[in-house]
Amino acid sequence: MRRVLITGMSGVGKSSLLRELAARGYRTVDTDYGGYHRTVDGETLWRPGRIDALLDSAPESQPGALFVQGTTRNQTLFYPRFHHIVLLSAPAEVLEHRLTTRATNSYGKDPAELAEALGYLDTVEPLLREDATLEVVTTVPVPRVADIVLAHVLPKEPAACSPRA
Protein backbone atom coordinates (compact mmCIF):
# COMPACT_ATOMS: atom_id res chain seq x y z
CA MET A 1 0.00 0.00 0.00
CA ARG A 2 1.31 3.40 -0.92
CA ARG A 3 1.44 5.82 2.02
CA VAL A 4 0.89 9.39 0.86
CA LEU A 5 1.12 12.54 2.96
CA ILE A 6 -1.06 15.43 1.81
CA THR A 7 0.33 18.64 3.31
CA GLY A 8 0.17 22.39 2.84
CA MET A 9 -0.98 25.63 4.35
CA SER A 10 -4.48 26.27 5.68
CA GLY A 11 -6.96 26.84 2.89
CA VAL A 12 -5.14 25.01 0.09
CA GLY A 13 -7.79 22.28 -0.09
CA LYS A 14 -6.31 19.37 1.87
CA SER A 15 -9.64 18.38 3.42
CA SER A 16 -11.48 18.85 0.12
CA LEU A 17 -8.98 16.57 -1.60
CA LEU A 18 -9.38 13.94 1.10
CA ARG A 19 -13.17 14.01 0.67
CA GLU A 20 -12.75 13.55 -3.10
CA LEU A 21 -10.32 10.66 -2.65
CA ALA A 22 -12.59 8.99 -0.09
CA ALA A 23 -15.53 9.34 -2.48
CA ARG A 24 -13.42 7.48 -5.05
CA GLY A 25 -12.93 4.62 -2.59
CA TYR A 26 -9.48 5.40 -1.21
CA ARG A 27 -8.58 5.17 2.47
CA THR A 28 -8.07 8.65 3.92
CA VAL A 29 -7.17 9.98 7.37
CA ASP A 30 -7.38 13.62 8.41
CA THR A 31 -4.99 13.93 11.34
CA ASP A 32 -6.71 17.14 12.45
CA TYR A 33 -9.26 14.80 14.05
CA GLY A 34 -9.11 11.56 16.00
CA GLY A 35 -6.47 12.28 18.62
CA TYR A 36 -3.44 12.43 16.31
CA HIS A 37 -2.22 15.69 17.89
CA ARG A 38 -0.92 16.84 21.24
CA THR A 39 0.03 20.32 22.37
CA VAL A 40 3.61 20.85 23.55
CA ASP A 41 4.59 24.32 24.76
CA GLY A 42 1.65 25.82 22.87
CA GLU A 43 2.50 24.03 19.62
CA THR A 44 0.33 21.35 18.03
CA LEU A 45 2.39 18.29 17.08
CA TRP A 46 1.64 14.81 15.85
CA ARG A 47 1.56 12.08 18.50
CA PRO A 48 4.33 9.73 17.30
CA GLY A 49 2.70 6.56 18.63
CA ARG A 50 -0.62 7.33 16.94
CA ILE A 51 1.01 8.21 13.61
CA ASP A 52 3.22 5.10 13.72
CA ALA A 53 0.16 2.93 14.41
CA LEU A 54 -1.70 4.57 11.53
CA LEU A 55 1.16 3.99 9.11
CA ASP A 56 1.64 0.42 10.38
CA SER A 57 -2.03 -0.24 9.54
CA ALA A 58 -1.18 0.20 5.86
CA PRO A 59 1.41 -2.49 5.11
CA GLU A 60 3.26 -2.23 1.81
CA SER A 61 2.05 -5.70 0.84
CA GLN A 62 -1.57 -4.45 0.57
CA PRO A 63 -2.76 -2.92 -2.70
CA GLY A 64 -4.03 0.64 -2.91
CA ALA A 65 -3.11 3.79 -1.07
CA LEU A 66 -3.51 5.47 2.30
CA PHE A 67 -3.80 9.24 2.08
CA VAL A 68 -2.89 11.04 5.32
CA GLN A 69 -3.55 14.77 5.67
CA GLY A 70 -1.65 16.99 8.06
CA THR A 71 0.82 19.80 8.56
CA THR A 72 2.88 19.88 11.75
CA ARG A 73 6.47 20.73 12.53
CA ASN A 74 7.29 17.16 13.51
CA GLN A 75 5.87 15.56 10.36
CA THR A 76 9.41 15.38 8.98
CA LEU A 77 10.13 12.57 11.45
CA PHE A 78 7.73 10.41 9.45
CA TYR A 79 8.83 11.31 5.92
CA PRO A 80 10.79 8.06 5.52
CA ARG A 81 7.56 6.13 6.09
CA PHE A 82 5.72 7.84 3.23
CA HIS A 83 6.12 6.88 -0.41
CA HIS A 84 5.04 10.35 -1.49
CA ILE A 85 4.75 13.79 0.09
CA VAL A 86 2.24 15.88 -1.82
CA LEU A 87 2.31 19.62 -1.24
CA LEU A 88 -0.86 21.49 -2.10
CA SER A 89 -0.38 25.21 -2.66
CA ALA A 90 -2.30 28.26 -3.84
CA PRO A 91 -1.61 31.96 -4.34
CA ALA A 92 -2.05 34.23 -1.30
CA GLU A 93 -5.16 35.95 -2.70
CA VAL A 94 -6.83 32.57 -3.25
CA LEU A 95 -5.99 31.45 0.29
CA GLU A 96 -7.26 34.71 1.75
CA HIS A 97 -10.59 34.30 -0.04
CA ARG A 98 -10.92 30.64 0.97
CA LEU A 99 -10.00 31.22 4.61
CA THR A 100 -12.37 34.14 5.08
CA THR A 101 -15.34 32.50 3.33
CA ARG A 102 -15.16 28.80 4.23
CA ALA A 103 -17.85 27.35 6.44
CA THR A 104 -16.08 24.14 7.51
CA ASN A 105 -13.36 25.69 9.70
CA SER A 106 -13.15 29.02 11.52
CA TYR A 107 -9.35 29.31 11.37
CA GLY A 108 -8.33 32.34 9.34
CA LYS A 109 -11.48 34.39 9.81
CA ASP A 110 -9.88 36.44 12.58
CA PRO A 111 -7.51 39.08 11.07
CA ALA A 112 -4.60 37.94 13.28
CA GLU A 113 -5.10 34.30 12.24
CA LEU A 114 -5.37 35.32 8.59
CA ALA A 115 -2.09 37.25 8.83
CA GLU A 116 -0.47 34.25 10.54
CA ALA A 117 -1.72 31.84 7.86
CA LEU A 118 -0.53 34.06 5.01
CA GLY A 119 2.83 34.56 6.75
CA TYR A 120 3.37 30.81 6.67
CA LEU A 121 3.57 31.05 2.87
CA ASP A 122 6.98 32.67 3.32
CA THR A 123 8.23 30.71 6.34
CA VAL A 124 6.73 27.21 6.31
CA GLU A 125 5.70 26.46 2.73
CA PRO A 126 9.28 26.67 1.35
CA LEU A 127 10.35 24.04 3.91
CA LEU A 128 7.52 21.73 2.84
CA ARG A 129 8.43 22.27 -0.81
CA GLU A 130 11.99 20.99 -0.20
CA ASP A 131 10.80 17.46 0.56
CA ALA A 132 7.68 17.28 -1.59
CA THR A 133 7.61 14.64 -4.30
CA LEU A 134 4.78 16.52 -6.00
CA GLU A 135 3.35 20.03 -5.73
CA VAL A 136 -0.14 20.76 -7.00
CA VAL A 137 -1.43 24.32 -7.26
CA THR A 138 -5.06 24.01 -6.24
CA THR A 139 -6.57 26.69 -8.45
CA VAL A 140 -8.12 23.91 -10.55
CA PRO A 141 -11.27 21.98 -9.51
CA VAL A 142 -10.82 19.41 -6.73
CA PRO A 143 -11.53 16.41 -9.01
CA ARG A 144 -8.66 17.56 -11.25
CA VAL A 145 -6.36 17.87 -8.21
CA ALA A 146 -7.29 14.29 -7.29
CA ASP A 147 -6.56 13.10 -10.84
CA ILE A 148 -3.11 14.74 -10.75
CA VAL A 149 -2.28 13.25 -7.35
CA LEU A 150 -3.46 9.76 -8.28
CA ALA A 151 -1.53 9.79 -11.55
CA HIS A 152 1.63 10.63 -9.61
CA VAL A 153 1.36 8.32 -6.59
CA LEU A 154 -0.17 5.11 -7.87
CA PRO A 155 2.06 2.65 -9.66
CA LYS A 156 1.42 2.32 -13.33
CA GLU A 157 0.16 -1.02 -14.57
CA PRO A 158 2.61 -2.62 -17.00
CA ALA A 159 1.40 -2.66 -20.59
CA ALA A 160 0.01 -5.98 -21.68
CA CYS A 161 2.39 -7.95 -23.89
CA SER A 162 0.96 -9.19 -27.10
CA PRO A 163 2.29 -12.42 -28.56
CA ARG A 164 4.33 -12.05 -31.71
CA ALA A 165 3.16 -13.89 -34.78
Side-chain angles (χ1 to χ4, degrees), residues 7 24 36 46-47 50-51 57-58 117-118 126 129 143 145 149 152 159-160:
T7 193
R24 295 183 186 196
Y36 290 100
W46 272 349
R47 292 177 183 269
R50 292 277 292 146
I51 298 298
S57 73
L118 294 176
R129 189 170 284 117
V145 174
V149 169
H152 180 77

Side-chain angles (χ1 to χ4, degrees), residues 64-103:
L66 166 64
F67 293 92
V68 176
Q69 183 280 126
T71 305
T72 66
R73 184 174 51 83
N74 69 336
Q75 73 187 37
T76 58
L77 299 173
F78 301 93
Y79 283 177
R81 304 224 33 218
F82 286 100
H83 295 92
H84 295 280
I85 300 165
V86 176
L87 172 63
L88 302 184
S89 64
E93 59 274 6
V94 171
L95 293 182
E96 182 174 1
H97 175 74
R98 288 178 182 171
L99 290 171
T100 58
T101 61
R102 67 183 176 179

Side-chain angles (χ1 to χ4, degrees), residues 43-156:
E43 183 177 16
T44 302
L45 300 171
W46 272 349
R47 292 177 183 269
R50 292 277 292 146
I51 298 298
D52 279 331
L54 170 63
L55 298 176
D56 287 344
S57 73
E60 290 189 38
S61 60
Q62 287 182 334
L66 166 64
F67 293 92
V68 176
Q69 183 280 126
T71 305
T72 66
R73 184 174 51 83
N74 69 336
Q75 73 187 37
T76 58
L77 299 173
F78 301 93
Y79 283 177
R81 304 224 33 218
F82 286 100
H83 295 92
H84 295 280
I85 300 165
V86 176
L87 172 63
L88 302 184
S89 64
E93 59 274 6
V94 171
L95 293 182
E96 182 174 1
H97 175 74
R98 288 178 182 171
L99 290 171
T100 58
T101 61
R102 67 183 176 179
T104 58
N105 187 329
S106 63
Y107 179 76
K109 293 188 184 304
D110 176 87
E113 289 177 345
L114 180 61
E116 176 183 63
L118 294 176
Y120 290 148
L121 291 174
D122 295 326
T123 60
V124 176
E125 190 175 73
L127 300 174
L128 298 176
R129 189 170 284 117
E130 288 177 7
D131 292 304
T133 59
L134 174 68
E135 179 174 357
V136 182
V137 179
T138 60
T139 53
V140 297
V142 175
R144 179 68 184 124
V145 174
D147 292 343
I148 293 166
V149 169
L150 291 171
H152 180 77
V153 305
L154 293 181
K156 310 291 185 274

